[in-house]
């Protein structure tokens, strides 16, 4: 069985939804997660803090250097993720469609290298 990464593509200049809208989104997301679990496709999921909270660790001359903030500036960032089990890309894309409908943001679907033994 393959594992796929469903990345939530979040606009960097986006406006947070109103509390009532966010509540509805979260209900849809919880339903999506329940559906993943019931189908045996759920592996892991989570939301991420904004890129401004990031620290980049770089190897340099046999040591490491820490830098605050994101590695690169962008118009979009990884806002959350799900890792799902799916027998093939089309099944993973179906999960991506359901995630996009639940969250209302673009979802990038990307396979992990190789197969995973369950």
């Amino acid at each position: 069985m393959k594992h796929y990464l469903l990345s939530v593509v979040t606009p960097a200049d986006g406006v947070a939804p109103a509390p009532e809208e966010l509540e509805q989104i979260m209900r849809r997301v919880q339903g999506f997660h329940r559906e993943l679990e019931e189908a045996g496709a759920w592996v892991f999921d989570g939301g991420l803090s904004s890129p401004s909270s990031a620290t980049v660790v770089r190897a340099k001359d046999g040591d490491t250097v820490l830098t605050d903030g994101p590695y690169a500036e962008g118009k979009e960032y990884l806002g959350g993720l799900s890792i799902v089990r799916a027998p093939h890309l089309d099944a993973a894309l179906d999960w991506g469609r359901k995630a996009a409908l639940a969250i209302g943001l673009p979802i990038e679907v990307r396979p992990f290298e190789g197969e995973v033994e369950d």
Side-chain angles (χ1 to χ4, degrees), residues 35-96:
E35 187 176 351
L36 277 173
E37 290 175 10
E38 290 169 0
W42 181 87
V43 176
F44 178 83
D45 65 72
L48 296 171
S49 297
S50 72
S52 64
S53 69
T55 302
V56 179
V57 181
R58 289 184 181 84
K60 184 174 181 178
D61 300 326
D63 201 0
T64 57
V65 177
L66 304 178
T67 307
D68 290 337
Y71 174 74
E73 295 293 324
K75 294 183 180 184
E76 300 171 328
Y77 65 91
L78 177 62
L81 60 96
S82 293
I83 299 174
V84 300
R85 281 184 208 89
H88 47 73
L89 178 60
D90 287 340
L93 290 173
D94 285 341
W95 289 119

